[in-house]
Amino acid sequence: MGKIAAVIVTYNRKDLLIEALQSVLSQDASPEYVFVIDNASTDGTREAVMLKFDFDNQKLIYCQRPENLGGSAGFSYGIQQALKTDCDWISISDDDAIFQPGYFSALRTAITEHATQQVFSGSVLLPNGKHDEMHREVLVNSETLTVKPIAEADYATDFYYDVFSFVGILLSRKLVTSIGLPEQDYFIRFDDFEYAIRALKDGRFLNIHGAKVLHKTTYTRSAIAPWKEYYVMRNRIAVLFKHRGESKTTRRYCRRFLARKLVAILLFKNRWGQARALSRAYLAGYRDGQDEHLGRNPQFLP
């Protein structure tokens, strides 16, 4: 079956992190190693967590990063640390992912039943009980990497899919060694999407309906921030060019993607007050995505 190393990336959410850690450590088949990757939190996260948990135990490893280079760099660093152990599988999640009882037991059973499968996941639930549709998707256009979410009814059984998020995903060491680390220069957004496209070359992913993770997110599609939208635009284009090249089809798709984002500013009243900032973010992201200017952009930070 093999050993599991869990990687949890956090930034300034100590209460959520404590809850996330408790949900992992209380499992009846918990991971053999648990890495906390702290992206330079300033809210006393390290002190609070150290008081709550026994980090002298070799199972728990706290990694304090000197600066916040984004979630993508945190995941990349965490996977690097996990690979230094004798683990066979690596679990990846944010600090707002609360693993429900039996999660890792269900995945360990799936590992034994699907010997050639390289990627497993559990179902992601929102606090209202519905599935968070952004985390498990299927490709509907492989040329433009266009996706659609898994239908709610499909969660009643195990299913295969094409694109995952970094919430409740389990990767084999063999796969990670083969495809490398996440693109840490993405900072945020689409780093998991790009990694999924790489991983898909070794086969589709299997979601286990009996494994569930509660996603305590406050993100909604209607509540957007201009600085985040810059990375949405830039990284979406960068992913497409990296995996599908700069063909007429991909360039046309990118122009349409930009146009849709700009038109959306006019359509949604809650965006009118940020119209100038959003337009600037989208146009800058469009240019930088095409020119492959990645990394943390000092003009677009929280």
Side-chain angles (χ1 to χ4, degrees), residues 28 160 244 269 283 291:
D28 56 4
Y160 287 94
R244 294 297 181 265
K269 289 184 178 180
L283 291 169
D291 295 337

Side-chain angles (χ1 to χ4, degrees), residues 80-251:
Q80 280 183 294
Q81 301 311 301
L83 289 173
K84 293 178 181 178
T85 72
D86 59 349
C87 73
D88 302 286
W89 295 86
I90 301 174
S91 166
I92 305 176
S93 61
D94 281 308
D95 51 14
D96 57 4
I98 312 302
F99 294 92
Q100 301 303 284
Y103 188 92
F104 287 99
S105 178
L107 290 188
R108 288 183 190 272
T109 298
I111 290 171
T112 62
E113 294 177 348
H114 303 273
T116 62
Q117 186 66 33
Q118 300 297 306
V119 178
F120 294 94
S121 65
S123 300
V124 183
L125 295 171
L126 290 167
N128 63 11
K130 293 185 178 181
H131 289 96
D132 197 342
E133 65 178 18
M134 296 185 293
H135 299 277
R136 311 288 179 249
E137 299 174 309
V138 293
L139 285 170
V140 294
N141 187 322
S142 60
E143 196 169 5
T144 60
L145 300 180
T146 306
V147 298
K148 70 173 183 179
I150 295 293
E152 182 75 20
D154 291 340
Y155 281 92
T157 60
D158 298 348
F159 59 81
Y160 287 94
Y161 65 104
D162 305 314
V163 174
F164 55 66
S165 76
F166 283 156
V167 177
I169 198 76
L170 186 68
L171 309 167
S172 75
R173 184 189 191 98
K174 177 182 176 182
L175 174 72
V176 171
T177 302
S178 173
I179 68 174
L181 301 170
E183 290 277 9
Q184 62 178 357
D185 286 338
Y186 276 39
F187 189 63
I188 62 167
R189 299 289 189 265
F190 282 99
D191 50 323
D192 42 11
F193 185 99
E194 190 281 328
Y195 203 62
I197 298 302
R198 268 191 274 164
L200 191 59
K201 296 174 183 177
D202 280 359
R204 303 184 80 199
F205 320 132
L206 182 57
N207 192 81
I208 306 302
H209 81 285
K212 302 183 187 302
V213 56
L214 176 62
H215 192 209
K216 287 197 167 182
T217 180
T218 57
Y219 173 81
T220 64
R221 292 184 184 274
S222 59
I224 61 175
W227 74 270
K228 289 183 180 179
E229 290 299 290
Y230 164 79
Y231 296 101
V232 168
M233 177 62 65
R234 187 196 71 178
N235 295 347
R236 179 65 175 94
I237 292 175
V239 170
L240 190 56
F241 279 14
K242 175 179 178 178
H243 291 281
R244 294 297 181 265
E246 300 181 33
S247 67
K248 289 182 179 180
T249 300
T250 56
R251 287 192 173 277

